[in-house]
Amino acid sequence: MSAFDYQRLDEVIHSRIRLAVMSILSGVESAEFTYLRERTGATDGNLGAHLRKLEEAGYVAVEKRFEDRKPVSRYELTAEGRAAFRRYVDRLEAMIGGEG
Amino acid sequence: MQDSAREDLALIRRIMEETRQEVTERGRHLVIWGGISTAGLLATWWAALGRGGVDPVRVWTGLLVVGWGASLYVGWRDGRRARVRTAGRRLLSAVWLTAAVTLTLVGGAGMFGGVLSNRSLPGVLSGILAMPILLTSLLTGERWLSWVAAGWWLGGAVMLFVPGVYALPLMAGMALLLMAVPGGVLNARASARRGAGPVRDGA
Protein backbone atom coordinates (compact mmCIF):
# COMPACT_ATOMS: atom_id res chain seq x y z
CA MET A 1 0.00 0.00 0.00
CA SER A 2 1.51 3.32 -1.01
CA ALA A 3 1.32 6.65 0.78
CA PHE A 4 -1.10 7.74 -1.92
CA ASP A 5 -3.37 4.83 -1.11
CA TYR A 6 -3.21 5.60 2.61
CA GLN A 7 -4.34 9.13 1.90
CA ARG A 8 -7.42 7.70 0.21
CA LEU A 9 -8.81 6.87 3.63
CA ASP A 10 -11.94 8.90 4.29
CA GLU A 11 -10.77 12.00 6.17
CA VAL A 12 -14.17 12.51 7.75
CA ILE A 13 -13.88 9.16 9.54
CA HIS A 14 -10.11 9.22 10.02
CA SER A 15 -10.05 10.79 13.48
CA ARG A 16 -9.93 8.91 16.77
CA ILE A 17 -13.25 10.10 18.12
CA ARG A 18 -15.13 10.05 14.82
CA LEU A 19 -13.82 6.55 14.15
CA ALA A 20 -15.01 5.43 17.60
CA VAL A 21 -18.42 7.03 17.03
CA MET A 22 -18.79 5.38 13.61
CA SER A 23 -17.73 2.01 15.08
CA ILE A 24 -20.27 2.28 17.90
CA LEU A 25 -23.12 3.42 15.63
CA SER A 26 -22.34 0.69 13.09
CA GLY A 27 -23.33 -1.92 15.71
CA VAL A 28 -26.57 -0.32 16.91
CA GLU A 29 -29.78 1.13 15.53
CA SER A 30 -29.31 4.40 17.40
CA ALA A 31 -27.53 5.80 20.46
CA GLU A 32 -28.00 8.83 22.67
CA PHE A 33 -25.40 11.57 22.92
CA THR A 34 -24.68 10.69 26.57
CA TYR A 35 -23.97 7.08 25.62
CA LEU A 36 -21.53 8.14 22.89
CA ARG A 37 -19.86 10.56 25.33
CA GLU A 38 -19.48 7.80 27.91
CA ARG A 39 -18.07 5.30 25.41
CA THR A 40 -15.62 7.72 23.76
CA GLY A 41 -14.57 9.57 26.90
CA ALA A 42 -14.84 12.86 25.00
CA THR A 43 -16.11 16.11 26.48
CA ASP A 44 -19.51 17.48 25.46
CA GLY A 45 -18.04 20.20 23.27
CA ASN A 46 -15.47 17.99 21.62
CA LEU A 47 -17.92 15.20 20.86
CA GLY A 48 -20.51 17.70 19.63
CA ALA A 49 -18.03 19.15 17.15
CA HIS A 50 -17.11 15.69 15.82
CA LEU A 51 -20.76 14.70 15.51
CA ARG A 52 -21.54 17.90 13.60
CA LYS A 53 -18.78 17.05 11.14
CA LEU A 54 -20.22 13.57 10.63
CA GLU A 55 -23.69 15.06 10.27
CA GLU A 56 -22.51 17.61 7.69
CA ALA A 57 -20.93 14.78 5.69
CA GLY A 58 -24.29 12.99 5.71
CA TYR A 59 -22.89 10.04 7.68
CA VAL A 60 -25.06 10.40 10.76
CA ALA A 61 -28.60 11.61 11.36
CA VAL A 62 -29.80 13.10 14.60
CA GLU A 63 -33.22 13.13 16.21
CA LYS A 64 -33.74 15.70 18.97
CA ARG A 65 -36.64 15.58 21.38
CA PHE A 66 -37.59 16.17 25.00
CA GLU A 67 -37.97 13.35 27.54
CA ASP A 68 -39.21 14.31 30.99
CA ARG A 69 -38.50 17.94 30.01
CA LYS A 70 -34.86 17.11 29.26
CA PRO A 71 -33.41 17.45 25.76
CA VAL A 72 -32.28 14.12 24.30
CA SER A 73 -30.26 13.77 21.08
CA ARG A 74 -30.27 10.33 19.44
CA TYR A 75 -27.83 9.55 16.64
CA GLU A 76 -27.85 6.87 13.95
CA LEU A 77 -25.78 6.06 10.89
CA THR A 78 -27.31 6.92 7.54
CA ALA A 79 -27.09 4.50 4.61
CA GLU A 80 -24.33 6.70 3.23
CA GLY A 81 -22.53 6.56 6.56
CA ARG A 82 -22.72 2.76 6.71
CA ALA A 83 -21.33 2.48 3.17
CA ALA A 84 -18.51 4.93 3.97
CA PHE A 85 -17.62 3.05 7.15
CA ARG A 86 -17.58 -0.26 5.25
CA ARG A 87 -15.26 1.27 2.63
CA TYR A 88 -13.02 2.64 5.38
CA VAL A 89 -12.69 -0.77 7.07
CA ASP A 90 -12.10 -2.49 3.71
CA ARG A 91 -9.23 -0.10 2.95
CA LEU A 92 -7.65 -0.64 6.35
CA GLU A 93 -7.85 -4.39 5.82
CA ALA A 94 -6.34 -4.00 2.35
CA MET A 95 -3.43 -2.03 3.84
CA ILE A 96 -2.68 -4.80 6.31
CA GLY A 97 -3.18 -7.44 3.64
CA GLY A 98 -0.62 -5.70 1.43
CA GLU A 99 1.97 -5.85 4.20
CA GLY A 100 3.31 -9.33 3.54
CA MET B 1 1.20 3.30 8.28
CA GLN B 2 0.40 -0.38 8.50
CA ASP B 3 0.86 -0.26 12.27
CA SER B 4 -1.61 2.60 12.38
CA ALA B 5 -4.05 0.66 10.21
CA ARG B 6 -3.68 -2.38 12.45
CA GLU B 7 -4.34 -0.27 15.57
CA ASP B 8 -7.40 1.32 13.98
CA LEU B 9 -8.80 -2.06 12.98
CA ALA B 10 -8.16 -3.45 16.47
CA LEU B 11 -9.99 -0.45 17.95
CA ILE B 12 -12.93 -0.89 15.59
CA ARG B 13 -13.22 -4.60 16.40
CA ARG B 14 -13.00 -4.01 20.15
CA ILE B 15 -15.66 -1.30 20.07
CA MET B 16 -17.96 -3.42 17.91
CA GLU B 17 -17.56 -6.42 20.25
CA GLU B 18 -18.26 -4.28 23.33
CA THR B 19 -21.25 -2.70 21.62
CA ARG B 20 -22.59 -6.15 20.74
CA GLN B 21 -22.70 -6.97 24.44
CA GLU B 22 -25.14 -4.11 24.98
CA VAL B 23 -27.96 -6.61 24.50
CA THR B 24 -27.09 -8.28 27.83
CA GLU B 25 -29.71 -6.67 30.02
CA ARG B 26 -32.14 -9.50 30.69
CA GLY B 27 -30.81 -10.39 34.13
CA ARG B 28 -33.55 -8.74 36.17
CA HIS B 29 -36.29 -10.77 34.45
CA LEU B 30 -34.43 -14.00 35.20
CA VAL B 31 -34.06 -13.02 38.85
CA ILE B 32 -37.80 -12.19 39.08
CA TRP B 33 -38.97 -15.41 37.40
CA GLY B 34 -36.36 -17.55 39.12
CA GLY B 35 -37.69 -16.37 42.49
CA ILE B 36 -41.36 -16.70 41.44
CA SER B 37 -40.84 -20.21 40.08
CA THR B 38 -38.90 -21.39 43.12
CA ALA B 39 -41.63 -20.16 45.48
CA GLY B 40 -44.44 -21.64 43.38
CA LEU B 41 -42.79 -25.02 42.91
CA LEU B 42 -41.96 -25.36 46.61
CA ALA B 43 -45.58 -24.48 47.48
CA THR B 44 -46.82 -27.07 44.98
CA TRP B 45 -44.45 -29.68 46.43
CA TRP B 46 -45.68 -28.89 49.91
CA ALA B 47 -49.25 -29.47 48.81
CA ALA B 48 -48.31 -32.61 46.86
CA LEU B 49 -46.86 -34.11 50.05
CA GLY B 50 -50.33 -33.83 51.56
CA ARG B 51 -49.50 -31.10 54.00
CA GLY B 52 -52.33 -28.63 54.35
CA GLY B 53 -52.55 -24.88 54.34
CA VAL B 54 -51.39 -24.30 50.79
CA ASP B 55 -53.57 -24.11 47.68
CA PRO B 56 -51.17 -24.33 44.69
CA VAL B 57 -53.71 -22.83 42.28
CA ARG B 58 -54.13 -19.71 44.44
CA VAL B 59 -50.40 -19.48 45.07
CA TRP B 60 -49.57 -19.71 41.37
CA THR B 61 -52.30 -17.24 40.42
CA GLY B 62 -50.87 -14.68 42.82
CA LEU B 63 -47.28 -15.37 41.82
CA LEU B 64 -48.05 -15.09 38.09
CA VAL B 65 -49.81 -11.77 38.60
CA VAL B 66 -46.85 -10.46 40.62
CA GLY B 67 -44.29 -11.90 38.16
CA TRP B 68 -45.95 -10.49 35.06
CA GLY B 69 -46.54 -7.14 36.74
CA ALA B 70 -42.92 -6.86 37.85
CA SER B 71 -41.56 -8.08 34.53
CA LEU B 72 -43.70 -5.70 32.46
CA TYR B 73 -42.73 -2.79 34.71
CA VAL B 74 -39.00 -3.62 34.45
CA GLY B 75 -39.29 -4.01 30.67
CA TRP B 76 -41.13 -0.69 30.31
CA ARG B 77 -38.65 1.13 32.58
CA ASP B 78 -35.60 -0.36 30.83
CA GLY B 79 -37.07 0.55 27.44
CA ARG B 80 -37.49 4.17 28.50
CA ARG B 81 -34.01 4.35 29.99
CA ALA B 82 -32.22 2.59 27.12
CA ARG B 83 -29.64 5.02 25.76
CA VAL B 84 -28.79 2.69 22.92
CA ARG B 85 -31.15 0.72 20.69
CA THR B 86 -29.97 -2.43 18.98
CA ALA B 87 -31.66 -5.01 16.79
CA GLY B 88 -30.23 -7.69 19.08
CA ARG B 89 -31.92 -6.20 22.13
CA ARG B 90 -35.30 -6.07 20.37
CA LEU B 91 -34.88 -9.65 19.19
CA LEU B 92 -33.95 -10.79 22.68
CA SER B 93 -36.99 -9.02 24.15
CA ALA B 94 -39.21 -10.75 21.60
CA VAL B 95 -37.64 -14.14 22.36
CA TRP B 96 -38.23 -13.80 26.11
CA LEU B 97 -41.74 -12.40 25.71
CA THR B 98 -42.62 -15.34 23.46
CA ALA B 99 -41.12 -17.79 25.95
CA ALA B 100 -42.88 -16.19 28.91
CA VAL B 101 -46.28 -16.30 27.18
CA THR B 102 -45.72 -19.93 26.12
CA LEU B 103 -44.61 -20.97 29.62
CA THR B 104 -47.63 -19.25 31.18
CA LEU B 105 -50.02 -20.86 28.68
CA VAL B 106 -48.55 -24.36 29.00
CA GLY B 107 -48.15 -24.09 32.77
CA GLY B 108 -51.65 -22.66 33.16
CA ALA B 109 -53.17 -25.31 30.89
CA GLY B 110 -51.46 -28.02 32.91
CA MET B 111 -52.26 -26.71 36.35
CA PHE B 112 -55.67 -25.07 35.92
CA GLY B 113 -57.08 -26.96 32.94
CA GLY B 114 -55.61 -30.40 33.51
CA VAL B 115 -54.64 -30.59 29.84
CA LEU B 116 -51.14 -31.79 30.72
CA SER B 117 -50.32 -34.32 33.38
CA ASN B 118 -48.84 -32.78 36.51
CA ARG B 119 -46.19 -35.50 36.31
CA SER B 120 -44.96 -34.32 32.92
CA LEU B 121 -45.43 -30.57 33.42
CA PRO B 122 -42.06 -29.76 35.10
CA GLY B 123 -40.13 -31.58 32.37
CA VAL B 124 -42.05 -29.89 29.55
CA LEU B 125 -41.61 -26.43 31.10
CA SER B 126 -37.89 -27.06 31.63
CA GLY B 127 -37.46 -28.04 27.99
CA ILE B 128 -39.23 -24.87 26.80
CA LEU B 129 -37.18 -22.66 29.14
CA ALA B 130 -33.89 -23.94 27.75
CA MET B 131 -34.63 -22.39 24.33
CA PRO B 132 -34.62 -18.67 25.21
CA ILE B 133 -31.60 -19.21 27.44
CA LEU B 134 -29.65 -20.77 24.56
CA LEU B 135 -30.75 -17.96 22.22
CA THR B 136 -29.64 -15.42 24.84
CA SER B 137 -26.24 -17.11 24.90
CA LEU B 138 -25.94 -16.90 21.11
CA LEU B 139 -27.15 -13.30 20.83
CA THR B 140 -25.06 -11.90 23.67
CA GLY B 141 -21.90 -13.96 23.30
CA GLU B 142 -22.29 -15.15 26.93
CA ARG B 143 -21.22 -18.69 26.11
CA TRP B 144 -21.54 -20.02 29.65
CA LEU B 145 -25.32 -19.60 29.30
CA SER B 146 -25.27 -22.47 26.79
CA TRP B 147 -24.33 -24.75 29.70
CA VAL B 148 -27.22 -23.31 31.70
CA ALA B 149 -29.56 -24.17 28.80
CA ALA B 150 -28.06 -27.67 28.65
CA GLY B 151 -28.73 -27.98 32.38
CA TRP B 152 -32.43 -27.22 31.80
CA TRP B 153 -32.66 -29.79 29.00
CA LEU B 154 -30.89 -32.40 31.10
CA GLY B 155 -33.10 -31.71 34.10
CA GLY B 156 -36.17 -31.72 31.86
CA ALA B 157 -35.20 -35.08 30.37
CA VAL B 158 -34.71 -36.61 33.83
CA MET B 159 -38.10 -35.29 34.99
CA LEU B 160 -39.86 -36.56 31.84
CA PHE B 161 -38.32 -40.03 31.80
CA VAL B 162 -38.39 -40.58 35.58
CA PRO B 163 -41.50 -38.68 36.70
CA GLY B 164 -42.30 -38.25 40.35
CA VAL B 165 -43.00 -35.77 43.12
CA TYR B 166 -39.25 -35.21 43.49
CA ALA B 167 -39.43 -33.24 40.21
CA LEU B 168 -41.03 -30.31 42.03
CA PRO B 169 -38.17 -29.59 44.47
CA LEU B 170 -35.66 -30.46 41.73
CA MET B 171 -37.16 -27.85 39.39
CA ALA B 172 -37.37 -25.37 42.28
CA GLY B 173 -33.63 -25.82 42.81
CA MET B 174 -33.03 -25.44 39.08
CA ALA B 175 -35.10 -22.26 39.00
CA LEU B 176 -32.88 -20.86 41.72
CA LEU B 177 -29.51 -22.07 40.44
CA LEU B 178 -30.15 -21.99 36.67
CA MET B 179 -32.35 -18.91 36.43
CA ALA B 180 -32.13 -16.51 39.40
CA VAL B 181 -28.37 -16.93 39.91
CA PRO B 182 -27.47 -16.53 36.19
CA GLY B 183 -29.76 -13.47 36.14
CA GLY B 184 -27.77 -11.98 38.99
CA VAL B 185 -24.52 -12.76 37.17
CA LEU B 186 -25.80 -11.06 33.99
CA ASN B 187 -26.80 -7.99 36.02
CA ALA B 188 -23.40 -7.84 37.70
CA ARG B 189 -21.57 -8.16 34.38
CA ALA B 190 -23.74 -5.47 32.77
CA SER B 191 -23.05 -3.13 35.71
CA ALA B 192 -19.30 -3.84 35.48
CA ARG B 193 -19.33 -3.00 31.77
CA ARG B 194 -21.18 0.26 32.37
CA GLY B 195 -18.54 1.25 34.91
CA ALA B 196 -15.61 0.14 32.74
CA GLY B 197 -15.02 3.61 31.27
CA PRO B 198 -14.53 4.83 27.72
CA VAL B 199 -13.21 2.76 24.85
CA ARG B 200 -10.45 5.32 24.33
CA ASP B 201 -9.50 8.64 25.81
CA GLY B 202 -10.45 11.64 23.76
CA ALA B 203 -8.11 12.63 20.99
Side-chain angles (χ1 to χ4, degrees), chain B residues 129-144:
Chain B
L129 189 53
M131 288 188 278
I133 293 175
L134 182 64
L135 283 168
T136 302
S137 171
L138 297 175
L139 285 168
T140 62
E142 300 276 3
R143 292 181 184 174
W144 58 276

PDB file of all heavy atoms in Angstrom, chain B residues 129-144:
ATOM      1  N   LEU B 129     -37.996 -23.737  28.557  1.00  0.00           N
ATOM      2  CA  LEU B 129     -37.181 -22.664  29.137  1.00  0.00           C
ATOM      3  C   LEU B 129     -35.745 -22.665  28.605  1.00  0.00           C
ATOM      4  O   LEU B 129     -35.088 -21.619  28.529  1.00  0.00           O
ATOM      5  CB  LEU B 129     -37.186 -22.798  30.659  1.00  0.00           C
ATOM      6  CG  LEU B 129     -36.583 -21.666  31.473  1.00  0.00           C
ATOM      7  CD1 LEU B 129     -37.216 -20.329  31.081  1.00  0.00           C
ATOM      8  CD2 LEU B 129     -36.783 -21.924  32.946  1.00  0.00           C
ATOM      9  N   ALA B 130     -35.274 -23.850  28.236  1.00  0.00           N
ATOM     10  CA  ALA B 130     -33.885 -23.939  27.748  1.00  0.00           C
ATOM     11  C   ALA B 130     -33.707 -23.136  26.452  1.00  0.00           C
ATOM     12  O   ALA B 130     -32.616 -22.605  26.197  1.00  0.00           O
ATOM     13  CB  ALA B 130     -33.518 -25.398  27.515  1.00  0.00           C
ATOM     14  N   MET B 131     -34.757 -23.037  25.655  1.00  0.00           N
ATOM     15  CA  MET B 131     -34.629 -22.394  24.329  1.00  0.00           C
ATOM     16  C   MET B 131     -34.262 -20.910  24.410  1.00  0.00           C
ATOM     17  O   MET B 131     -33.290 -20.480  23.790  1.00  0.00           O
ATOM     18  CB  MET B 131     -35.909 -22.609  23.517  1.00  0.00           C
ATOM     19  CG  MET B 131     -36.049 -24.052  23.053  1.00  0.00           C
ATOM     20  SD  MET B 131     -37.424 -24.280  21.924  1.00  0.00           S
ATOM     21  CE  MET B 131     -38.781 -24.427  23.062  1.00  0.00           C
ATOM     22  N   PRO B 132     -35.023 -20.080  25.158  1.00  0.00           N
ATOM     23  CA  PRO B 132     -34.624 -18.665  25.210  1.00  0.00           C
ATOM     24  C   PRO B 132     -33.267 -18.462  25.868  1.00  0.00           C
ATOM     25  O   PRO B 132     -32.549 -17.508  25.549  1.00  0.00           O
ATOM     26  CB  PRO B 132     -35.747 -18.006  26.032  1.00  0.00           C
ATOM     27  CG  PRO B 132     -36.393 -19.114  26.773  1.00  0.00           C
ATOM     28  CD  PRO B 132     -36.280 -20.327  25.893  1.00  0.00           C
ATOM     29  N   ILE B 133     -32.912 -19.367  26.786  1.00  0.00           N
ATOM     30  CA  ILE B 133     -31.596 -19.215  27.439  1.00  0.00           C
ATOM     31  C   ILE B 133     -30.486 -19.479  26.420  1.00  0.00           C
ATOM     32  O   ILE B 133     -29.492 -18.742  26.363  1.00  0.00           O
ATOM     33  CB  ILE B 133     -31.486 -20.167  28.654  1.00  0.00           C
ATOM     34  CG1 ILE B 133     -32.474 -19.725  29.738  1.00  0.00           C
ATOM     35  CG2 ILE B 133     -30.063 -20.185  29.201  1.00  0.00           C
ATOM     36  CD1 ILE B 133     -32.551 -20.637  30.938  1.00  0.00           C
ATOM     37  N   LEU B 134     -30.671 -20.495  25.581  1.00  0.00           N
ATOM     38  CA  LEU B 134     -29.655 -20.773  24.557  1.00  0.00           C
ATOM     39  C   LEU B 134     -29.584 -19.623  23.550  1.00  0.00           C
ATOM     40  O   LEU B 134     -28.494 -19.194  23.149  1.00  0.00           O
ATOM     41  CB  LEU B 134     -29.980 -22.083  23.831  1.00  0.00           C
ATOM     42  CG  LEU B 134     -28.968 -22.503  22.763  1.00  0.00           C
ATOM     43  CD1 LEU B 134     -27.606 -22.786  23.398  1.00  0.00           C
ATOM     44  CD2 LEU B 134     -29.419 -23.733  22.004  1.00  0.00           C
ATOM     45  N   LEU B 135     -30.748 -19.091  23.159  1.00  0.00           N
ATOM     46  CA  LEU B 135     -30.753 -17.959  22.224  1.00  0.00           C
ATOM     47  C   LEU B 135     -30.090 -16.729  22.854  1.00  0.00           C
ATOM     48  O   LEU B 135     -29.380 -15.988  22.172  1.00  0.00           O
ATOM     49  CB  LEU B 135     -32.190 -17.619  21.807  1.00  0.00           C
ATOM     50  CG  LEU B 135     -32.785 -18.576  20.775  1.00  0.00           C
ATOM     51  CD1 LEU B 135     -34.283 -18.351  20.638  1.00  0.00           C
ATOM     52  CD2 LEU B 135     -32.104 -18.387  19.422  1.00  0.00           C
ATOM     53  N   THR B 136     -30.300 -16.537  24.143  1.00  0.00           N
ATOM     54  CA  THR B 136     -29.636 -15.424  24.837  1.00  0.00           C
ATOM     55  C   THR B 136     -28.124 -15.599  24.771  1.00  0.00           C
ATOM     56  O   THR B 136     -27.379 -14.649  24.533  1.00  0.00           O
ATOM     57  CB  THR B 136     -30.094 -15.359  26.306  1.00  0.00           C
ATOM     58  OG1 THR B 136     -31.509 -15.214  26.334  1.00  0.00           O
ATOM     59  CG2 THR B 136     -29.457 -14.190  27.031  1.00  0.00           C
ATOM     60  N   SER B 137     -27.683 -16.822  24.971  1.00  0.00           N
ATOM     61  CA  SER B 137     -26.244 -17.110  24.902  1.00  0.00           C
ATOM     62  C   SER B 137     -25.691 -16.763  23.519  1.00  0.00           C
ATOM     63  O   SER B 137     -24.653 -16.111  23.395  1.00  0.00           O
ATOM     64  CB  SER B 137     -26.012 -18.592  25.206  1.00  0.00           C
ATOM     65  OG  SER B 137     -24.674 -18.938  24.955  1.00  0.00           O
ATOM     66  N   LEU B 138     -26.409 -17.152  22.481  1.00  0.00           N
ATOM     67  CA  LEU B 138     -25.937 -16.905  21.115  1.00  0.00           C
ATOM     68  C   LEU B 138     -25.952 -15.421  20.771  1.00  0.00           C
ATOM     69  O   LEU B 138     -25.035 -14.905  20.135  1.00  0.00           O
ATOM     70  CB  LEU B 138     -26.796 -17.686  20.108  1.00  0.00           C
ATOM     71  CG  LEU B 138     -26.752 -19.212  20.243  1.00  0.00           C
ATOM     72  CD1 LEU B 138     -27.731 -19.867  19.278  1.00  0.00           C
ATOM     73  CD2 LEU B 138     -25.338 -19.735  19.986  1.00  0.00           C
ATOM     74  N   LEU B 139     -27.001 -14.722  21.200  1.00  0.00           N
ATOM     75  CA  LEU B 139     -27.145 -13.305  20.834  1.00  0.00           C
ATOM     76  C   LEU B 139     -26.203 -12.398  21.611  1.00  0.00           C
ATOM     77  O   LEU B 139     -25.791 -11.356  21.110  1.00  0.00           O
ATOM     78  CB  LEU B 139     -28.594 -12.851  21.069  1.00  0.00           C
ATOM     79  CG  LEU B 139     -29.620 -13.337  20.052  1.00  0.00           C
ATOM     80  CD1 LEU B 139     -31.032 -13.062  20.547  1.00  0.00           C
ATOM     81  CD2 LEU B 139     -29.398 -12.659  18.710  1.00  0.00           C
ATOM     82  N   THR B 140     -25.880 -12.786  22.836  1.00  0.00           N
ATOM     83  CA  THR B 140     -25.061 -11.902  23.671  1.00  0.00           C
ATOM     84  C   THR B 140     -23.594 -12.299  23.700  1.00  0.00           C
ATOM     85  O   THR B 140     -22.763 -11.531  24.184  1.00  0.00           O
ATOM     86  CB  THR B 140     -25.567 -11.905  25.127  1.00  0.00           C
ATOM     87  OG1 THR B 140     -25.449 -13.239  25.639  1.00  0.00           O
ATOM     88  CG2 THR B 140     -27.002 -11.443  25.205  1.00  0.00           C
ATOM     89  N   GLY B 141     -23.289 -13.501  23.223  1.00  0.00           N
ATOM     90  CA  GLY B 141     -21.902 -13.963  23.296  1.00  0.00           C
ATOM     91  C   GLY B 141     -21.532 -14.476  24.684  1.00  0.00           C
ATOM     92  O   GLY B 141     -20.365 -14.751  24.950  1.00  0.00           O
ATOM     93  N   GLU B 142     -22.527 -14.591  25.583  1.00  0.00           N
ATOM     94  CA  GLU B 142     -22.286 -15.151  26.929  1.00  0.00           C
ATOM     95  C   GLU B 142     -22.350 -16.678  26.798  1.00  0.00           C
ATOM     96  O   GLU B 142     -23.399 -17.296  27.017  1.00  0.00           O
ATOM     97  CB  GLU B 142     -23.347 -14.633  27.922  1.00  0.00           C
ATOM     98  CG  GLU B 142     -23.367 -13.141  28.079  1.00  0.00           C
ATOM     99  CD  GLU B 142     -22.322 -12.642  29.086  1.00  0.00           C
ATOM    100  OE1 GLU B 142     -21.545 -13.462  29.623  1.00  0.00           O
ATOM    101  OE2 GLU B 142     -22.278 -11.423  29.316  1.00  0.00           O
ATOM    102  N   ARG B 143     -21.215 -17.257  26.456  1.00  0.00           N
ATOM    103  CA  ARG B 143     -21.222 -18.693  26.108  1.00  0.00           C
ATOM    104  C   ARG B 143     -21.586 -19.595  27.277  1.00  0.00           C
ATOM    105  O   ARG B 143     -22.140 -20.672  27.082  1.00  0.00           O
ATOM    106  CB  ARG B 143     -19.855 -19.078  25.547  1.00  0.00           C
ATOM    107  CG  ARG B 143     -19.593 -18.435  24.212  1.00  0.00           C
ATOM    108  CD  ARG B 143     -18.260 -18.842  23.654  1.00  0.00           C
ATOM    109  NE  ARG B 143     -18.002 -18.118  22.412  1.00  0.00           N
ATOM    110  CZ  ARG B 143     -16.864 -18.184  21.746  1.00  0.00           C
ATOM    111  NH1 ARG B 143     -15.886 -18.938  22.193  1.00  0.00           N
ATOM    112  NH2 ARG B 143     -16.706 -17.509  20.634  1.00  0.00           N
ATOM    113  N   TRP B 144     -21.243 -19.184  28.486  1.00  0.00           N
ATOM    114  CA  TRP B 144     -21.541 -20.021  29.647  1.00  0.00           C
ATOM    115  C   TRP B 144     -23.041 -20.280  29.790  1.00  0.00           C
ATOM    116  O   TRP B 144     -23.450 -21.278  30.388  1.00  0.00           O
ATOM    117  CB  TRP B 144     -20.986 -19.377  30.926  1.00  0.00           C
ATOM    118  CG  TRP B 144     -21.517 -18.002  31.195  1.00  0.00           C
ATOM    119  CD1 TRP B 144     -21.056 -16.822  30.676  1.00  0.00           C
ATOM    120  CD2 TRP B 144     -22.628 -17.643  32.029  1.00  0.00           C
ATOM    121  NE1 TRP B 144     -21.805 -15.766  31.139  1.00  0.00           N
ATOM    122  CE2 TRP B 144     -22.761 -16.239  31.970  1.00  0.00           C
ATOM    123  CE3 TRP B 144     -23.510 -18.371  32.829  1.00  0.00           C
ATOM    124  CZ2 TRP B 144     -23.754 -15.551  32.673  1.00  0.00           C
ATOM    125  CZ3 TRP B 144     -24.498 -17.697  33.531  1.00  0.00           C
ATOM    126  CH2 TRP B 144     -24.617 -16.308  33.458  1.00  0.00           C
TER     127      TRP B 144
END
